[in-house]
Amino acid sequence: MINFHPTGEQLTLFAEGALTPEEAVVLSAHVDLCARCNDEFHQKTELLAAKVFHLNEPMLYPFQHDSMVENITSSTIKSAQPVQGSSHFSKYIRLDSLRFTLPRTLRKFAIKAGGWSYLAGKTWQAGIEFSSKWQASFMYLEKGGHIPEHKYGGKSFWLVIDGELNEGNKVYRKGDFVAIAKDASKAPHSNDEKGCLLFTLLEKPLVFSTGLTNLLNPSSHLYF
Ligand SMILES: [Zn+2]
């Protein structure tokens, strides 16, 4: 069951096309996984369309959220050339013998994952080529994996794709959406048997409070 959702305001901005393209990607990926937000998004979209077109009744045909998101994301976020040797467009993302199903919105980014890098602390990362100042990646924490405490220089988002992530006294599970404010500090870990796969989006680089920036972030490319 999904316990952490975008706010009503975030969904309204998404329906209005008023989010940044980067934020639209993570909202869309959550909407792919979450029936509640999917319904709310469709209602907002229908009301908005009714308002814009001065209709008395909401639209009677199903709104195609996929094509709308495709238009938003493909027109604004152009990927760099896929990394040579990276896998083809895929419903799945793999790490060794593990295989995870990606939300529809993120499937086109699977081809841009340029392979996994082992960081430290039982944590893996695969950066995504976004032509954007934002940095996006998939992160995988094995059972017992952890990221030392770090601070956010800008907004950030996590979307749990599979497994469980522990942070403070919260447990985030598949589909959970976490919006992180600038200056927040986090130190997540995973206790789940299958670990945790996350999609992460980062507006500004991280600052590690523990002085481990160089160890964990040798090329300033930890996109968590
Ligand atoms: Zn939701």
Side-chain angles (χ1 to χ4, degrees):
M1 182 180 160
I2 297 176
N3 289 317
F4 297 90
H5 305 267
T7 62
E9 187 188 354
Q10 284 171 316
L11 284 169
T12 300
L13 291 171
F14 181 41
E16 290 174 353
L19 289 177
T20 66
E22 296 85 356
E23 290 169 299
V25 168
V26 69
L27 259 285
S28 173
H30 174 80
V31 168
D32 287 342
L33 298 173
C34 179
R36 182 181 118 176
C37 289
N38 202 316
D39 286 349
E40 197 174 333
F41 171 75
H42 282 91
Q43 284 168 18
K44 286 176 185 294
T45 305
E46 287 174 10
L47 287 172
L48 187 67
K51 196 169 140 194
V52 169
F53 293 103
H54 305 291
L55 302 174
N56 293 323
E57 311 239 334
M59 292 190 296
L60 295 176
Y61 54 89
F63 186 81
Q64 293 300 311
H65 139 255
D66 291 344
S67 58
M68 172 187 155
V69 169
E70 181 65 26
N71 288 340
I72 293 172
T73 59
S74 65
S75 64
T76 322
I77 297 182
K78 302 279 186 210
S79 70
Q81 290 300 308
V83 178
Q84 266 199 339
S86 63
S87 62
H88 53 280
F89 180 96
S90 177
K91 185 177 172 183
Y92 305 105
I93 190 164
R94 292 178 171 79
L95 172 59
D96 292 336
S97 60
L98 301 170
R99 188 181 80 165
F100 301 97
T101 303
L102 290 171
R104 254 181 298 180
T105 302
L106 300 182
R107 286 175 194 170
K108 64 181 171 182
F109 296 118
I111 61 169
K112 292 145 203 160
W116 290 95
S117 303
Y118 182 70
L119 296 174
K122 298 186 176 181
T123 299
W124 299 78
Q125 180 178 51
I128 295 168
E129 298 284 341
F130 250 27
S131 342
S132 160
K133 286 181 182 163
W134 291 60
Q135 295 170 326
S137 69
F138 293 106
M139 301 281 300
Y140 176 69
L141 282 73
E142 299 172 28
K143 184 184 181 187
H146 68 281
I147 304 275
E149 186 174 10
H150 52 275
K151 190 171 164 182
Y152 288 81
K155 284 195 278 188
S156 182
F157 296 91
W158 296 342
L159 183 75
V160 178
I161 297 171
D162 211 342
E164 287 184 5
L165 188 73
N166 305 75
E167 211 294 313
N169 56 5
K170 296 196 172 71
V171 182
Y172 300 111
R173 299 186 176 86
K174 181 175 179 175
D176 278 338
F177 173 94
V178 186
I180 301 168
K182 181 177 183 293
D183 294 331
S185 287
K186 300 284 179 193
H189 65 280
S190 180
N191 288 331
D192 194 47
E193 275 305 320
K194 61 178 163 184
C196 181
L197 179 69
L198 283 176
F199 172 70
T200 71
L201 201 52
L202 188 65
E203 186 185 24
K204 297 269 170 65
L206 297 179
V207 179
F208 281 87
S209 329
T210 48
L212 290 172
T213 302
N214 290 338
L215 175 64
L216 277 164
N217 199 6
S219 51
S220 301
H221 275 287
L222 185 62
Y223 308 145
F224 194 53

